[in-house]
């Protein structure tokens, strides 16, 4: 095949680094860098979700986990927050991030968008684009593309100069993002071609990729968590002659306010899904996210599925590396599997699946296999409910016992060539096969208390001096050695000699294999038994020693002086009565000072007939206070109907809170009015724009007419399917036989809005209501049906495929009762505070406290958390930097305080609380791993 890039046509030769002579090419099996096939272990890390000072630590952690490539989006709204004002400095210096990846020897997949989704506000678009006349997003819209290409003029040169063709490490560039979720390939062809050509015209000459949606001249990848075989098959049908990448392998999931913690993807299931992808034949896996980070400021987005799914401030994502850069159980799983792909890289990329084979397994397990050059790799999957030892009969009648946990996929090496003249057969994860000095070193990961049966087969006699402690059996000719190895806490180190080549097999249990680290520089080194590792910019390596039951050791050249063993090192940090480590003290907050928002004294701002939204007022994020007045002849209850509202709000009447509005789109709120003049105010926080939707670019805040004397009808109950009554707030497992119908009365009102989980095919009084941009996965719509209703009885018909529905309401109003003359002012940060011991006040308020950093020992790596116990909803400032929104309805409880944004003394913490709750229970503390002591493992 030939690969076309613009006007340049070459036979799969994409880049030729003139200085280093390195080629990047590809074929159906993989990318080839230089002359070597490469399995891409990709860590998705976003530079804009952490301070610049944390980049190195996070990237090093990815490298130590066996990742060889970094995937990053570029966020347009970070770099052009206001039209024409570009920012590529400090934390936003994405060029410096790419340079650091290069310094660390990490390839890069650059994803400039312009749309990135990423649960990031407005999918990465700057807010001010919403104000452009007649703009339509992610289409061939002239206005939209004019601004996109202006963005490309800024961002592409940064990427272009760091491509592999220009001595950098950028190897792939993505066109747009997940367009296939929005439309079929043909529907967006002209738009996608324009973006592709826009990149090519600006000098991108490494391969272009897409994800979930394809385009000629690009390589399409798949985004998923499960169903690897299906996704692989789809890509094979579309592009059989190109590599197969998992462009987003979802390691966890995002969290939104008021929902349970997103921890459903367990470490064991994570391992299984990775193995499914490898088994299917994928040659690269991008772990989205490997490190999630934080939605600082107002950058947390809002996603589809309901009316109020707003991202929490944390973007931890339950990823392998936590929001604080800490190693997790998933990190250890990712490291194990990536080391497995490294140890067997050539085989995995050259091999082909086996459709017919003689190998068999016992009941409760199933086998799939791959083969290359006489070698085979089997994937044995258990469907049992308990861990079990399965007997696997390989071809030629060789039977091997293999231990498999419920649902686990265990690799079985079948005569895999470890080094010239020596083949290995065993069940388990081979995570190392390196020549260290003159010793071929094989590292085998097992479970705690597990047992692995190993078979060595050689061209020559195998010499094994066992000293009698490992069950073994040798063939008569001495060329086959069978071992029964137990995975002890103390790692077993087994040495054999084949034709003068010394081979050492190191059998690790689960605890020690989780703490095995492979480092590669001038030569391969291993550090085994360390809880955590770090690489300094000066070449130093430091680690945290393991638990008391493990003895860490080193393999390779660590530069130790004569007399210090290079193959093992004892723990230098020992807790005990004689040398107790002084605990790390958390910062102490000074007494809080308060500044209460006096709503009634606030200036009115510019008057308008209806409320105006954030973008209309030139605001990216923050708070607005909307105000209007109502004159009443008597005390009364009244219902306000908001025809267009896209954020949560608090309703105040004459300075007193009367309602909290959680639902959005269109809503009603009850209030009590006094006789005479009433001041109506709404406190509204921008909670994030849609980051993914067929209808991007919604205005934020309140921006449509507001009506008095409205009403709300709950519509989820009392539907009919034929003669059968149906309630849509209940579970129905079987599909409905026909479209459902329901009646409602409309008396005295001439306006009506349906809001909630509407379905395409909606009909009012026999007339179909168009729903532009409808997608069945977007379970929330607000539709004005005023032109379809009549005074009196009305009939609504709608097909329903899924229940229960979380919301379906009818809002009615009379257009003559519109409440006009609105003002809106931005709620600015308070500058004056009073002592917290003053009389308790109610209502929205700011609080301020000061704190100093305690003395921090040089041998710790501390991380700070802020726990917001007892507060309601608001935002946080640290030394003038916005730490993000908080909302104590969960699931987020703690908020990240970056150490890079702190001073030694006089740190200022300001919080705004919508209810004015006192922050007496708010506290700052170091996470548990901050107590760990680090030691240097090598000499400079």
């Amino acid at each position: 095949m030939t690969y076309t890039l613009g006007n340049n046509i070459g036979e799969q030769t994409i880049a030729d680094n003139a200085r280093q002579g390195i080629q990047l090419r590809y074929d159906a099996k993989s990318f080839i860098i230089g002359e070597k096939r490469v399995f891409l272990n990709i860590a998705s890390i976003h530079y804009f979700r952490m301070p610049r000072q944390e980049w190195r630590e996070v990237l090093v952690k990815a490298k130590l986990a066996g990742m060889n490539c970094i995937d990053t989006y570029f966020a347009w709204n970070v770099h052009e927050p206001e039209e024409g004002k570009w920012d590529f400095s400090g934390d936003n210096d994405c060029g410096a991030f790419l340079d650091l990846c290069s310094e660390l020897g990490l390839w890069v997949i650059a994803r400039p968008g312009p749309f990135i989704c990423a649960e990031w506000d407005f999918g990465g678009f700057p807010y001010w684009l919403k104000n452009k006349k007649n703009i339509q997003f992610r289409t061939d819209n002239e206005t939209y593309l004019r601004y996109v290409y202006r963005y490309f003029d800024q961002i592409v040169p940064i990427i272009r100069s760091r491509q592999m063709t220009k001595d950098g490490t950028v190897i792939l560039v993505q066109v747009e993002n997940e367009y296939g979720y929005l439309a079929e390939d043909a529907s967006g062809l002209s738009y996608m071609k324009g973006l592709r050509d826009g990149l090519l015209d600006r000098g991108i000459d490494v391969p272009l990729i897409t994800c979930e949606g394809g385009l000629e001249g690009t390589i399409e990848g798949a985004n998923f968590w499960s169903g690897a075989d299906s996704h692989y098959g789809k890509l094979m049908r579309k592009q059989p002659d190109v590599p197969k990448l998992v462009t987003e392998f979802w390691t966890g999931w995002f969290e939104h306010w008021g929902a349970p913690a997103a921890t459903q993807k367990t470490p064991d299931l994570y391992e299984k899904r990775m193995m499914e992808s490898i088994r299917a034949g994928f040659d690269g896996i991008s772990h989205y996210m490997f490190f999630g980070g934080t939605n600082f400021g107002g950058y947390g987005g809002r996603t589809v599925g309901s009316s109020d799914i707003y991202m929490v401030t944390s973007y931890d994502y339950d990823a392998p590396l936590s929001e604080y850069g800490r190693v997790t159980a998933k990190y250890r799983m990712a490291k194990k599997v990536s080391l497995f792909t490294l140890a067997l890289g050539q085989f995995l990329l050259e091999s082909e699946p086996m459709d017919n084979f003689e190998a068999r397994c016992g009941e409760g397990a199933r086998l799939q296999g791959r083969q290359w050059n006489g070698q085979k790799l089997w994937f044995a999957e258990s469907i049992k409910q308990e861990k079990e030892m399965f007997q696997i009969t390989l071809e030629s009648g060789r039977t091997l016992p293999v231990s498999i946990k419920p649902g686990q996929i265990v690799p079985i090496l079948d005569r895999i060539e470890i080094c010239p003249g020596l083949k290995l057969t065993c069940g388990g994860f081979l995570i190392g096969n390196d020549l260290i000095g003159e010793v071929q070193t094989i590292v085998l990961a097992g479970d705690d208390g597990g047992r692995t049966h190993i078979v060595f087969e050689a061209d020559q006699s195998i010499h094994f001096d066992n000293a009698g402690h490992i069950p073994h059996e040798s063939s008569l000719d001495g060329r086959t050695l069978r071992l029964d190895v137990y995975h002890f806490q103390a790692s077993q180190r087994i040495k054999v000699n084949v034709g003068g080549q010394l081979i050492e097999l190191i059998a690790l249990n689960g605890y020690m294999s989780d703490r095995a680290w492979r480092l590669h520089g001038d030569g391969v080194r291993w550090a085994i038994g360390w809880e955590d590792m770090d690489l300094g910019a000066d070449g130093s390596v430091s680690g945290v020693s393991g638990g008391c039951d493990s003895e860490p050791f080193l393999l390779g050249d660590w530069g130790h002086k004569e007399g210090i063993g290079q193959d093992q090192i004892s723990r230098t940090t020992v807790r005990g009565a004689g040398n107790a480590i002084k605990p790390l003290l958390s910062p102490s907050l000074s007494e809080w000072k308060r500044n209460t928002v006096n709503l009634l004294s606030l200036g009115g701002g510019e008057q308008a007939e209806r409320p105006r939204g954030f973008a209309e007022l030139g605001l990216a994020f923050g708070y607005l206070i909307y105000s209007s007045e109502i004159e009443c002849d008597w005390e009364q209850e009244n219902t306000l109907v908001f025809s267009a509202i896209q954020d949560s709000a608090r309703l105040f009447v004459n300075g007193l809170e009367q309602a909290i509005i959680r639902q959005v789109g269109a809503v009603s709120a009850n209030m009590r009015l006094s006789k005479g003049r009433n001041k109506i105010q709404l406190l509204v926080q921008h909670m994030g724009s849609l980051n993914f939707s067929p209808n991007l670019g919604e205005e934020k805040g309140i921006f449509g007419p507001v009506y008095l004397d409205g009403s709300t009808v709950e519509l989820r109950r009392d539907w009919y399917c034929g003669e059968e009554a149906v309630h849509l707030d209940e579970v129905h497992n079987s599909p409905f036989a026909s479209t459902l119908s329901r009646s409602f009365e409309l008396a005295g009102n001439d306006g009506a809005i349906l809001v909630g989980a509407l379905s395409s095919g909606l009909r009012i009084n026999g007339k179909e209501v168009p729903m532009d941009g409808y997608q069945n996965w977007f379970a929330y719509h607000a539709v004005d049906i005023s032109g379809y209703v009549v005074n009196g009885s009305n009939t609504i018909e709608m097909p329903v495929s899924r229940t229960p529905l979380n919301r379906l309401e009818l809002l009615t109003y009379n257009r003559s009762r519109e409440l006009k003359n609105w003002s809106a002012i931005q709620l600015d940060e308070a500058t004056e505070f009073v002592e917290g011991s003053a009389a308790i006040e109610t209502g929205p308020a700011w609080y301020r406290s000061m704190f100093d950093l305690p003395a921090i020992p040089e041998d710790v790596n501390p991380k700070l958390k802020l726990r917001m116990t007892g507060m309601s909803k608001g935002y946080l400032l640290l030394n003038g930097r916005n730490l993000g929104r908080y909302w104590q309805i969960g699931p987020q409880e703690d908020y990240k305080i970056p150490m890079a944004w702190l001073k030694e003394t006089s740190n200022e913490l300001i919080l705004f609380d919508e209810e004015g709750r006192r922050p007496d229970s708010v506290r700052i503390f170091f996470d548990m791993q901050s107590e760990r002591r680090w030691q240097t493992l090598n000499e400079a």
Side-chain angles (χ1 to χ4, degrees):
M1 54 81 81
T2 58
Y3 174 70
T4 305
L5 265 178
N7 296 322
N8 300 319
I9 301 176
E11 189 176 352
Q12 299 164 282
T13 299
I14 315 305
D16 183 9
N17 185 310
R19 182 173 64 84
Q20 297 180 351
I22 298 176
Q23 277 192 341
L24 168 63
R25 3 180 233 119
Y26 71 82
D27 59 19
K29 293 183 175 181
S30 73
F31 289 99
I32 304 165
I33 299 180
E35 296 303 319
K36 184 178 181 180
R37 292 195 179 278
V38 175
F39 190 101
L40 289 176
N41 285 304
I42 308 159
S44 190
I45 295 169
H46 302 155
Y47 62 91
F48 47 84
R49 278 186 155 124
M50 60 181 145
R52 178 175 183 161
Q53 293 87 341
E54 295 180 6
W55 290 350
R56 176 176 289 275
E57 179 182 5
V58 169
L59 290 174
V60 163
K61 279 293 192 295
K63 184 180 177 74
L64 287 169
M67 302 292 125
N68 54 17
C69 186
I70 301 300
D71 167 301
T72 188
Y73 285 129
F74 295 77
W76 182 358
N77 52 8
V78 163
H79 297 300
E80 195 183 10
E82 299 292 339
E83 185 175 357
K85 296 180 180 178
W86 296 94
D87 183 4
F88 293 98
S89 63
D91 295 343
N92 299 332
D93 190 347
C94 52
F97 181 80
L98 298 180
D99 292 340
L100 182 56
C101 292
S102 180
E103 176 190 330
L104 293 170
L106 295 163
W107 297 309
V108 174
I109 299 175
R111 306 170 80 184
F115 170 76
I116 64 172
C117 186
E119 289 71 62
W120 193 251
D121 184 72
F122 199 7
F125 293 130
Y127 84 92
W128 47 263
L129 276 180
K130 298 178 183 180
N131 293 329
K132 301 304 175 183
K133 188 176 180 180
N134 298 322
I135 194 168
Q136 294 179 340
F137 300 98
R138 304 183 73 188
T139 68
D140 246 344
N141 176 267
E142 181 182 355
T143 302
Y144 167 68
L145 288 177
R146 182 168 69 250
Y147 286 98
V148 167
Y149 292 141
R150 196 184 69 174
Y151 162 64
F152 275 8
D153 288 339
Q154 294 286 329
I155 200 69
V156 172
I158 294 172
I159 299 169
R160 179 185 65 217
S161 63
R162 292 166 173 88
Q163 296 177 103
M164 180 169 275
T165 53
K166 306 295 188 296
D167 299 345
T169 56
V170 175
I171 58 172
L172 302 172
V173 175
Q174 181 172 291
V175 181
E176 234 262 0
N177 187 58
E178 296 182 327
Y179 196 80
Y181 290 149
L182 190 65
E184 295 295 327
D185 291 357
S187 302
L189 185 59
S190 177
Y191 166 60
M192 292 289 283
K193 279 184 175 180
L195 295 185
R196 178 199 64 190
D197 294 344
L199 294 171
L200 295 174
D201 292 345
R202 289 165 178 81
I204 296 301
D205 54 11
V206 296
L208 297 177
I209 65 170
T210 61
C211 65
E212 295 303 328
L215 175 68
E216 183 184 1
T218 68
I219 300 169
E220 183 177 352
N223 296 358
F224 63 87
W225 158 251
S226 59
D229 289 337
S230 173
H231 288 284
Y232 186 86
K234 178 182 176 181
L235 293 182
M236 277 295 292
R237 290 188 294 273
K238 293 183 74 171
Q239 291 184 308
D241 299 325
V242 303
K244 306 299 182 290
L245 291 176
V246 186
T247 36
E248 288 186 15
F249 177 67
W250 299 321
T251 64
W253 205 241
F254 55 80
E255 294 182 335
H256 56 92
W257 300 114
T263 55
Q264 62 270 25
K265 296 176 180 176
T266 64
D268 284 342
L269 193 52
Y270 179 42
E271 177 194 286
K272 178 177 181 176
R273 298 298 186 223
M274 284 188 280
M275 293 302 293
E276 287 174 343
S277 298
I278 294 168
R279 182 180 66 185
F282 282 98
D283 48 79
I285 301 175
S286 181
H287 299 256
Y288 187 99
M289 298 294 297
F290 188 83
F291 165 81
T294 310
N295 297 319
F296 291 118
Y299 282 113
R302 166 194 179 193
T303 196
V304 297
S306 186
S307 62
D308 60 347
I309 296 184
Y310 300 111
M311 299 301 109
V312 301
T313 296
S314 170
Y315 198 61
D316 180 90
Y317 208 80
D318 194 25
L321 207 57
S322 79
E323 180 184 6
Y324 297 85
R326 299 300 199 192
V327 167
T328 68
K330 280 186 177 177
Y331 178 93
R332 302 187 189 282
M333 284 295 191
K335 177 160 62 71
K336 180 177 76 171
V337 176
S338 68
L339 290 176
F340 168 75
T341 65
L342 180 62
L344 290 173
Q346 185 180 18
F347 175 90
L348 291 173
L349 298 174
E350 296 282 7
S351 62
E352 300 284 351
M354 288 185 286
D355 295 328
N356 300 305
F357 49 82
E358 298 175 4
R360 341 184 260 288
C361 58
E363 184 179 352
R366 50 192 174 208
L367 284 177
Q368 292 185 44
R370 302 183 68 86
Q371 63 181 344
W372 171 64
N373 199 24
Q375 306 168 79
K376 296 180 176 65
L377 179 66
W378 305 94
F379 297 88
E381 180 178 1
S382 170
I383 57 176
K384 288 291 190 73
Q385 299 300 310
E386 296 180 357
K387 182 178 178 180
E388 188 169 317
M389 186 72 79
F390 291 92
Q391 298 294 327
I392 312 290
T393 296
L394 305 178
E395 293 168 323
S396 303
R398 296 165 294 127
T399 298
L400 191 74
V402 179
S403 177
I404 314 176
K405 292 184 289 188
Q408 186 183 22
I409 298 174
V410 169
I412 300 174
L413 284 64
D414 185 357
R415 291 175 170 163
I416 296 290
E417 190 172 48
I418 295 301
C419 60
L422 180 65
K423 295 179 179 179
L424 173 65
T425 298
C426 70
F429 284 87
L430 178 73
I431 63 172
N433 181 28
D434 302 299
L435 187 63
I436 300 179
E438 297 181 352
V439 180
Q440 190 70 36
T441 305
I442 302 166
V443 185
L444 190 63
D447 295 329
D448 291 344
R451 207 174 199 98
T452 299
H453 297 264
I454 297 168
V455 181
F456 283 120
E457 296 174 272
D459 296 341
Q460 305 178 56
S461 294
I462 304 172
H463 299 282
F464 172 51
D465 183 10
N466 177 47
H469 68 280
I470 295 178
H472 67 284
E473 178 184 336
S474 294
S475 64
L476 292 176
D477 61 7
R479 296 182 181 181
T480 301
L481 175 66
R482 295 178 177 85
L483 302 171
D484 185 4
V485 177
Y486 197 87
H487 293 271
F488 289 115
Q489 184 72 42
S491 305
Q492 294 217 53
R493 303 178 64 173
I494 302 160
K495 295 182 180 180
V496 299
N497 191 303
V498 179
Q501 174 64 63
L502 185 62
I503 293 105
E504 181 175 27
L505 184 142
I506 302 174
L508 305 176
N509 72 347
Y511 181 88
M512 292 295 276
S513 58
D514 281 348
R515 289 154 183 81
W517 306 82
R518 183 182 186 274
L519 298 90
H520 187 273
D522 294 334
V524 175
R525 294 177 293 174
W526 283 81
I528 298 175
W530 270 265
E531 290 285 339
D532 206 347
M533 296 286 289
D534 190 30
L535 307 178
D538 60 355
S540 62
V541 181
S542 55
V544 175
S545 61
C548 60
D549 292 335
S550 66
E551 189 70 29
F553 60 97
L554 305 176
L555 301 172
D557 184 2
W558 288 84
H560 297 126
K561 294 179 181 178
E562 187 176 353
I564 301 179
Q566 292 189 21
D567 68 336
Q568 92 173 15
I569 183 170
S570 61
R571 293 184 303 278
T572 59
T573 303
V574 180
R575 296 181 183 272
N579 61 340
I581 295 175
K582 187 176 181 180
L584 189 61
L585 299 176
S586 295
S588 178
L589 291 167
S590 67
E591 184 178 4
W592 291 91
K593 295 184 178 181
R594 179 185 176 113
N595 185 316
T596 302
V597 180
N598 189 335
L599 291 169
L600 294 177
S601 68
L602 291 175
E606 183 181 346
Q607 291 283 321
E609 188 171 277
R610 61 168 178 79
R612 292 181 293 172
F614 278 80
E616 287 182 282
L617 295 169
L619 298 174
F621 307 116
Y623 273 93
L624 282 172
I625 297 179
Y626 294 90
S627 300
S628 188
E629 292 187 347
I630 301 173
E631 191 76 33
C632 292
D633 294 332
W634 60 84
E635 185 177 305
Q636 60 182 271
E637 296 280 343
N638 205 301
T639 298
L640 280 178
V641 169
F642 298 87
S643 65
I645 179 173
Q646 292 293 354
D647 290 286
S648 60
R650 293 180 186 270
L651 172 64
F652 297 85
V653 178
N654 299 324
L656 298 177
E657 183 177 322
Q658 295 212 7
I660 300 174
I661 298 171
R662 284 282 304 273
Q663 300 282 15
V664 297
V667 298
S668 66
N670 297 324
M671 60 182 179
R672 184 161 191 83
L673 302 174
S674 301
K675 182 179 179 181
R677 179 167 295 181
N678 294 267
K679 187 169 186 177
I680 310 300
Q681 293 175 298
L682 290 115
L683 177 65
V684 179
Q685 184 180 25
H686 187 304
M687 293 298 294
S689 299
L690 283 165
N691 53 258
F692 184 74
S693 166
N695 301 305
L696 283 175
E698 84 281 18
E699 182 56 282
K700 297 296 295 177
I702 305 172
F703 52 94
V706 180
Y707 301 97
L708 291 163
D709 302 319
S711 67
T712 301
V713 179
E714 165 63 57
L715 288 184
R716 291 184 297 172
R717 301 186 70 80
D718 302 322
W719 289 77
Y720 282 88
C721 181
E723 299 296 323
E724 180 185 359
V726 174
H727 302 308
L728 299 182
D729 57 353
E730 300 175 1
V731 174
H732 297 273
N733 292 322
S734 301
F736 298 110
S738 62
T739 295
L740 305 185
S741 64
R742 187 191 194 283
S743 63
F744 62 88
E745 296 291 322
L746 190 66
N749 287 328
D750 58 7
I753 299 173
L754 277 176
V755 60
L758 302 172
S759 298
S760 181
L762 171 70
R763 299 173 69 87
I764 304 294
N765 296 325
K767 296 180 180 180
E768 185 165 350
V769 180
M771 297 175 65
D772 295 337
Y774 175 83
Q775 298 282 352
N776 61 6
W777 36 258
F778 192 10
Y780 156 73
H781 296 268
V783 179
D784 190 325
I785 58 170
S786 301
Y788 297 83
V789 296
V790 297
N791 193 34
S793 179
N794 293 263
T795 300
I796 176 173
E797 299 168 277
M798 187 173 70
V800 176
S801 59
R802 291 179 297 179
T803 58
L805 305 187
N806 59 6
R807 183 189 183 196
L808 188 58
E809 295 174 340
L810 172 70
L811 307 178
T812 66
Y813 54 88
N814 193 298
R815 280 173 271 198
S816 67
R817 294 293 290 149
E818 182 179 351
L819 178 59
K820 299 185 178 181
N821 299 320
W822 288 87
S823 65
I825 61 170
Q826 185 177 15
L827 184 64
D828 294 320
E829 179 189 338
T831 56
E832 296 182 5
F833 295 85
V834 297
E835 295 294 336
S837 57
I840 295 177
E841 302 175 72
T842 60
W846 288 273
Y847 292 91
R848 182 179 68 185
S849 181
M850 308 294 291
F851 66 93
D852 299 334
L853 270 183
I856 297 175
E858 292 184 357
D859 60 348
V860 300
N861 180 20
K863 308 288 183 179
L864 267 180
K865 296 184 174 185
L866 177 67
R867 181 160 291 175
M868 297 295 293
T869 304
M871 305 310 291
S872 65
K873 180 174 178 288
Y875 69 95
L876 301 158
L877 296 172
L878 173 69
N879 295 330
R881 292 178 180 262
N882 195 319
L883 295 179
R885 310 178 185 99
Y886 72 87
W887 195 356
Q888 290 308 94
I889 59 174
Q892 186 169 359
E893 181 180 14
D894 300 331
Y895 298 79
K896 180 176 177 178
I897 295 183
M899 299 296 292
W901 293 351
L902 294 174
K903 302 177 291 185
E904 289 188 6
T905 60
S906 302
N907 292 286
E908 180 186 59
L909 181 63
I910 293 176
L911 63 88
F912 173 74
D913 194 81
E914 292 184 9
E915 295 181 12
R917 295 186 185 179
R918 292 178 59 84
D920 298 327
S921 298
V922 171
R923 67 186 182 96
I924 299 176
F925 60 98
F926 289 107
D927 75 344
M928 292 181 63
Q929 295 184 46
S930 294
E931 291 287 345
R932 290 177 170 176
R933 263 47 184 184
W934 290 71
Q935 61 185 108
T936 301
L937 303 186
N938 64 333
E939 289 191 352

